[in-house]
Amino acid sequence: MITPKRPAGFNEFLPADQLAFNALIAIIRMSYEQHGFTPIETPALELASVLHAKEGGESAKQGYRFTKGDSDLALRFDLTVPLARYVAEHYHELAFPFRRYQIQDVWRAEKPQAGRYRQFCQCDIDIIGSTSVAADADVLITMSRTYKALGLSTAVLHISNRKIISGILEARKLSKHSTEIMRQMDKLDKIGVAGLRKNLAERGLKESDISLLASLAAIAGTISEVTREMEKLDVSHPKLAEGLDELAATASLLDAAGLKKHDYTFNLGMMRGFDYYTGVVFEAMLSDKPEAGAVGSGGRYDNLVGYYRSEPLAGVGASIGLSRLFSAIHGELADGPSSPSQALVVVFNEKLLPFCFSVAQKLQSAGLNVEVYPSADKAGKQLGYADKTGIPFALLCGEDEEKKKSVTIKDMQTGDQKTLKLTEAARYLKKQL
Amino acid sequence: MITPKRPAGFNEFLPADQLAFNALIAIIRMSYEQHGFTPIETPALELASVLHAKEGGESAKQGYRFTKGDSDLALRFDLTVPLARYVAEHYHELAFPFRRYQIQDVWRAEKPQAGRYRQFCQCDIDIIGSTSVAADADVLITMSRTYKALGLSTAVLHISNRKIISGILEARKLSKHSTEIMRQMDKLDKIGVAGLRKNLAERGLKESDISLLASLAAIAGTISEVTREMEKLDVSHPKLAEGLDELAATASLLDAAGLKKHDYTFNLGMMRGFDYYTGVVFEAMLSDKPEAGAVGSGGRYDNLVGYYRSEPLAGVGASIGLSRLFSAIHGELADGPSSPSQALVVVFNEKLLPFCFSVAQKLQSAGLNVEVYPSADKAGKQLGYADKTGIPFALLCGEDEEKKKSVTIKDMQTGDQKTLKLTEAARYLKKQL
């Protein structure tokens, strides 16, 4: 005997959770398509030289990489690098702006933690080949609507624009420290203003610059609040102005699309990663559950396909880490059924099986999910199965029912029974469900 | 620059094909759930010792296997071994009979051929923990209905039962040659009756046995035709009788469930693999496209979890190789759109963007898929994009329209234009689509 177990750090769901998870994916898919994003899927395996182009094809620490025959292969670790490869490979077959969504698993050989697994599901959207602020707004609108569709009414988009910090650092001649400064600012939540000041001072920044950055990090609110606060800062730079203009234009489009004040906020201390993004950046937080961290994020980049094409291709995108989100909200989901069936046909004896299958067929044809218990076990055992799997109705199909072309419908919750003509059963069940 | 390419033998779709493929998956998922199968998904990676239990954990030739840290890992090569591991691992948390479906990719390092890739999608159903012929019929009914739902009206299930050949071989004391005999019979299509006779003679079989097997291989038709033909053969054995009885019971349930004469046939020469199956076996063929080969198959097995549990667990299952099926029918699918959008909002100038997003929002809220072109490119370019991606309607949202709270709807096929109040646009579009 071999012990049946998964590799460490790999999760899988029992059926009730899988059904709940799939329901979330269906909502995300519908929402993404409602906003005109088209699906693609890429192979799990890529050439390591292509996937790890950024590191010059060197082995990535967190990657699953191996050789098979002559091929140096690796499992994708995100959906962005495969998108870049896809767009570059199929460039002449795609229509631009290219609006794609991709809902697939990715693999990272990280140390497993609660809610973090080595294989997890990402749900990405990107608009490639547009530099317009309308594309920024479009991605933000799609994300906000998607959270609402998922029932996450407390989701708030925290939005900033990398041009603001870039402009400030250029104005103050601090660009060469930009990565380190952004890293410290991004830690503001953890280290506080005093910590930020101390850390920036340790890195040799002047007091006037430190004050400016600490003030910037605290600026948050509506577009008019943020604009007003920015005017108080003693700094100006064309890039900074451009960043603020883009945020204002974005805000007007979010409002036009019906987003409410509590759906988004500007948060200029939020940096969202340290390279890659060049314009708008955002992360989504649940206002009633900040401890869950960001439940999605994204931003604008100047060039998606730098490693694969000489012509740059700008874009803007976002990602929902669905596995992590599911872990975060799982406690609040009611324990659902572990079967998609809406009714179980109970089999009293083997001779009644043809009648049982004909009953199931009639109801299935009417669009109901119906299963036939596959043998004439004791009725109690069959009802116990319906109970355990959460099937809401049992259909008792005995000899009387067969004779009268009827079916006795038992509500598993209340225990109530009702005998109906077969022709009426589907309508009745649909009304009850 | 790194050439953007996939590893050899790995396929991916352009958006139009991905949309078409996803539509097939959605149909299969719906059909499987309508018949009460519940979804599970398992990790892509399994422990090699678990996945290759059959070979004692030795490297499988066609497997993607590698070590990461201390772990000897392998990508799944089918959905049956992971199901066995899942059922054994979660045995006490599952309700039996366990009806699961699983739609996931598998990986095989085979030589790539037309329509055959190294990563491909399988759509499996199984009923675990039932020995009943009702479960056999249930799987067959689900498969037949699923093909019909996919629009494959010519799909025919070819059904046999392994107990028939087993009984015959036992009666004739040929069981020790069973694998070789079944292999030859399975090749009947290619080698013909004369070839079969010759090959069996070369393996030292007696003329009377050869005649019997050649006669068996030719028996096909309805249950009564097959039963009549079997009576003419000079052979009897309890197992053979049991196999025929099971087929008769299956036929009566398929008929009760509304399957028609052209939906299934019995074909006693069909062997479907050489070990593993112990009862009913079947394969699905397209009667107008036999060259596509089997577009699905399955059967009953005595024990799913033999490597992982001491108690056996019987089941019956089936699988659709969707990637292969898609290749086979792809030529007949009309070239569909490459966007899910039903309407494109055309942007005449940047100032109109808020109006454009508000129009999109209204229609999206009404359930339509609508995208906003993300910048004020020339109208011809925007309409060209709608044309190229197959978006059926363009929504012209100019200053006039904004003033009158209306929208001009352009049918991309006919070129017809119609200006409607915003409140009427959704209803009109829905009627046209």
Side-chain angles (χ1 to χ4, degrees):
Chain A
M1 290 294 126
I2 291 162
T3 307
K5 62 175 184 183
R6 281 158 285 153
F10 284 80
N11 188 42
E12 71 191 356
F13 295 125
L14 287 169
D17 278 353
Q18 187 74 58
L19 277 164
F21 190 83
N22 287 4
L24 298 186
I25 286 188
I27 290 167
I28 294 172
R29 188 179 287 280
M30 198 181 64
S31 178
Y32 286 176
E33 294 194 359
Q34 202 148 73
H35 293 83
F37 291 87
T38 197
I40 71 164
E41 295 192 355
T42 61
L45 290 169
E46 297 270 357
L47 294 171
S49 57
V50 170
L51 199 64
H52 297 300
K54 194 171 180 179
E55 295 87 21
E58 291 308 303
S59 177
K61 259 187 304 179
Q62 296 186 336
Y64 287 99
R65 181 176 175 175
F66 61 96
T67 53
K68 178 79 188 175
D70 297 336
S71 299
D72 185 3
L73 303 169
L75 287 165
R76 61 169 172 260
F77 54 82
D78 71 5
L79 302 179
T80 302
V81 180
L83 170 65
R85 195 267 308 145
Y86 182 97
V87 168
E89 182 171 348
H90 303 293
Y91 183 78
H92 295 288
E93 301 160 287
L94 299 174
F96 292 93
F98 179 51
R99 305 166 71 91
R100 87 88 171 77
Y101 78 86
Q102 191 168 356
I103 301 178
Q104 286 194 288
D105 285 333
V106 303
W107 293 265
R108 292 187 197 165
E110 292 174 326
K111 203 173 161 219
Q113 304 169 39
R116 296 232 188 205
Y117 301 103
R118 287 174 167 166
Q119 175 175 345
F120 53 95
C121 177
Q122 297 280 97
C123 308
D124 281 25
I125 52 171
D126 284 87
I127 303 176
I128 311 295
S130 169
T131 55
S132 162
V133 75
D136 297 358
D138 208 339
V139 164
L140 292 166
I141 291 163
T142 303
M143 293 300 280
S144 180
R145 294 255 186 78
T146 302
Y147 290 115
K148 307 292 157 175
L150 289 168
L152 300 169
S153 58
T154 63
V156 182
L157 304 180
H158 293 252
I159 306 169
S160 185
N161 192 305
R162 293 291 284 273
K163 289 178 183 170
I164 295 170
I165 183 74
S166 294
I168 289 175
L169 296 180
E170 281 181 33
R172 292 297 176 101
K173 303 199 175 0
L174 289 168
S175 296
K176 65 177 185 295
H177 302 296
S178 109
T179 301
E180 190 49 38
I181 290 171
M182 286 200 265
R183 178 167 296 143
Q184 294 304 325
M185 291 181 71
D186 225 37
K187 290 199 294 188
L188 183 64
D189 277 357
K190 285 173 200 145
I191 59 180
V193 176
L196 175 62
R197 285 180 164 275
K198 178 167 160 278
N199 290 354
L200 292 178
E202 275 169 10
R203 275 150 190 92
L205 266 69
K206 285 189 299 190
E207 176 51 33
S208 60
D209 293 337
I210 293 173
S211 286
L212 175 65
L213 293 169
S215 301
L216 176 72
I219 296 179
T222 64
I223 190 66
S224 52
E225 287 164 353
V226 162
T227 308
R228 207 177 321 126
E229 292 300 313
M230 284 302 293
E231 278 162 9
K232 293 185 197 161
L233 298 188
D234 176 28
V235 61
S236 74
H237 189 274
K239 227 184 218 178
L240 160 58
E242 199 182 316
L244 280 172
D245 284 350
E246 287 182 11
L247 289 189
T250 300
S252 78
L253 296 181
L254 300 190
D255 294 343
L259 268 66
K260 303 296 172 211
K261 210 174 157 174
H262 55 263
D263 293 332
Y264 72 96
T265 185
F266 294 98
N267 185 341
L268 303 194
M270 193 259 307
M271 295 292 138
R272 200 63 228 165
F274 311 108
D275 50 11
Y276 195 69
Y277 292 124
T278 52
V280 71
V281 288
F282 83 94
E283 54 189 36
M285 307 283 287
L286 302 177
S287 60
D288 59 343
K289 200 186 276 267
E291 70 279 9
V295 294
S297 63
R300 169 166 286 287
Y301 38 86
D302 275 343
N303 190 9
L304 178 74
V305 293
Y307 299 105
Y308 313 120
R309 274 180 68 84
S310 50
E311 269 177 279
L313 204 50
V316 55
S319 181
I320 298 177
L322 187 60
S323 299
R324 206 175 147 193
L325 177 61
F326 189 74
S327 296
I329 63 174
H330 184 258
E332 287 150 43
L333 298 171
D335 268 354
S338 66
S339 166
S341 290
Q342 297 163 316
L344 172 76
V345 177
V346 174
V347 179
F348 289 106
N349 69 58
E350 304 275 334
K351 280 188 192 141
L352 286 165
L353 273 169
F355 175 57
C356 291
F357 273 95
S358 74
V359 169
Q361 189 262 323
K362 280 195 180 60
L363 299 175
Q364 287 158 346
S365 300
L368 291 162
N369 296 352
V370 180
E371 67 180 273
V372 179
Y373 194 88
S375 59
D377 286 343
K378 286 198 179 121
K381 188 173 173 190
Q382 298 186 47
L383 293 173
Y385 167 83
D387 204 47
K388 190 168 177 190
T389 54
I391 301 175
F393 290 96
L395 307 177
L396 313 181
C397 300
E399 275 143 18
D400 257 26
E401 280 84 358
E402 185 179 27
K403 237 175 279 168
K404 294 179 183 155
K405 293 188 178 164
S406 66
V407 57
T408 298
I409 300 173
K410 183 188 176 75
D411 184 321
M412 292 298 296
Q413 200 88 53
T414 63
D416 291 349
Q417 291 190 195
K418 196 180 177 75
T419 303
L420 286 178
K421 288 277 166 202
L422 269 179
T423 46
E424 291 158 22
R427 202 163 3 140
Y428 175 79
L429 284 169
K430 279 185 182 174
K431 226 168 63 188
Q432 300 293 312
L433 286 162
Chain B
M1 288 295 125
I2 290 162
T3 307
K5 62 176 186 184
R6 279 159 286 153
F10 284 80
N11 188 42
E12 71 191 357
F13 295 126
L14 287 168
D17 278 353
Q18 187 74 56
L19 276 165
F21 190 83
N22 288 5
L24 298 186
I25 286 188
I27 291 167
I28 293 172
R29 189 179 287 280
M30 199 181 63
S31 178
Y32 285 176
E33 294 194 359
Q34 203 148 74
H35 292 84
F37 291 87
T38 198
I40 70 164
E41 295 193 354
T42 61
L45 290 169
E46 297 270 358
L47 294 170
S49 58
V50 170
L51 199 64
H52 296 299
K54 195 173 180 178
E55 295 87 20
E58 292 308 303
S59 177
K61 260 187 304 181
Q62 297 187 335
Y64 286 98
R65 180 176 177 176
F66 60 96
T67 54
K68 177 80 187 172
D70 297 335
S71 299
D72 185 4
L73 303 169
L75 287 164
R76 61 171 171 258
F77 55 83
D78 72 5
L79 301 180
T80 303
V81 181
L83 171 65
R85 195 267 308 144
Y86 182 97
V87 169
E89 183 171 348
H90 303 293
Y91 184 77
H92 295 289
E93 300 159 288
L94 299 173
F96 292 94
F98 179 51
R99 306 165 71 92
R100 88 83 171 81
Y101 78 86
Q102 190 168 357
I103 301 179
Q104 286 194 289
D105 284 334
V106 302
W107 292 266
R108 292 186 197 166
E110 292 174 324
K111 204 172 160 217
Q113 305 168 39
R116 294 231 187 204
Y117 301 103
R118 287 173 167 167
Q119 174 175 346
F120 53 95
C121 177
Q122 297 279 100
C123 309
D124 281 26
I125 53 171
D126 285 87
I127 302 176
I128 310 296
S130 169
T131 55
S132 162
V133 76
D136 297 358
D138 208 339
V139 164
L140 292 166
I141 291 163
T142 303
M143 292 302 280
S144 179
R145 295 254 187 79
T146 302
Y147 289 115
K148 307 293 156 174
L150 289 168
L152 300 169
S153 59
T154 64
V156 182
L157 305 180
H158 293 252
I159 306 168
S160 185
N161 192 305
R162 293 290 284 273
K163 290 178 183 169
I164 295 171
I165 183 74
S166 293
I168 289 175
L169 296 180
E170 281 181 32
R172 293 297 177 101
K173 303 198 172 9
L174 289 168
S175 295
K176 64 178 185 292
H177 301 295
S178 112
T179 301
E180 191 47 41
I181 289 171
M182 287 199 265
R183 178 168 292 141
Q184 293 305 325
M185 291 180 71
D186 226 37
K187 292 199 293 189
L188 182 66
D189 278 357
K190 286 174 200 145
I191 60 179
V193 177
L196 176 63
R197 286 182 161 275
K198 179 167 159 280
N199 289 353
L200 292 178
E202 276 170 9
R203 276 152 189 89
L205 265 68
K206 285 189 299 194
E207 175 52 32
S208 61
D209 291 338
I210 293 173
S211 287
L212 175 65
L213 293 169
S215 301
L216 176 73
I219 295 178
T222 63
I223 190 66
S224 51
E225 286 164 354
V226 161
T227 309
R228 207 176 320 125
E229 292 300 314
M230 284 302 293
E231 279 163 9
K232 292 185 197 158
L233 298 188
D234 177 29
V235 60
S236 76
H237 189 274
K239 227 184 217 177
L240 159 58
E242 199 181 316
L244 280 172
D245 284 350
E246 287 183 9
L247 289 188
T250 300
S252 79
L253 296 181
L254 301 190
D255 295 344
L259 268 66
K260 302 294 174 212
K261 209 174 159 172
H262 54 264
D263 293 332
Y264 73 95
T265 184
F266 294 97
N267 185 340
L268 303 194
M270 193 259 307
M271 295 292 138
R272 200 61 226 166
F274 311 110
D275 49 11
Y276 194 68
Y277 291 124
T278 52
V280 70
V281 287
F282 83 95
E283 54 189 36
M285 307 282 289
L286 302 177
S287 59
D288 59 343
K289 200 185 276 269
E291 70 279 9
V295 294
S297 63
R300 169 166 285 288
Y301 39 85
D302 276 342
N303 189 9
L304 177 74
V305 294
Y307 298 106
Y308 313 118
R309 273 181 68 85
S310 49
E311 269 176 276
L313 204 50
V316 55
S319 181
I320 298 176
L322 187 60
S323 299
R324 205 175 148 194
L325 176 62
F326 189 75
S327 296
I329 63 173
H330 183 258
E332 286 149 44
L333 298 172
D335 268 354
S338 67
S339 167
S341 289
Q342 296 163 318
L344 173 75
V345 177
V346 175
V347 178
F348 290 106
N349 68 58
E350 304 274 336
K351 280 186 194 146
L352 286 164
L353 273 169
F355 175 55
C356 291
F357 272 95
S358 74
V359 169
Q361 189 261 322
K362 280 195 181 58
L363 299 175
Q364 287 158 346
S365 299
L368 291 161
N369 296 351
V370 179
E371 66 180 272
V372 179
Y373 194 88
S375 59
D377 285 343
K378 284 192 180 132
K381 189 174 172 189
Q382 297 185 48
L383 293 173
Y385 167 83
D387 203 47
K388 191 169 176 189
T389 54
I391 301 176
F393 291 96
L395 306 177
L396 313 181
C397 298
E399 276 144 16
D400 257 26
E401 280 84 359
E402 186 178 27
K403 237 174 282 168
K404 295 179 184 156
K405 293 189 178 162
S406 65
V407 58
T408 298
I409 300 173
K410 182 188 177 78
D411 184 322
M412 292 299 297
Q413 200 91 51
T414 63
D416 292 349
Q417 292 190 193
K418 195 179 179 73
T419 302
L420 286 179
K421 288 277 166 201
L422 270 179
T423 47
E424 291 159 22
R427 200 161 6 140
Y428 175 79
L429 283 168
K430 280 186 182 174
K431 224 167 64 188
Q432 300 293 310
L433 285 162

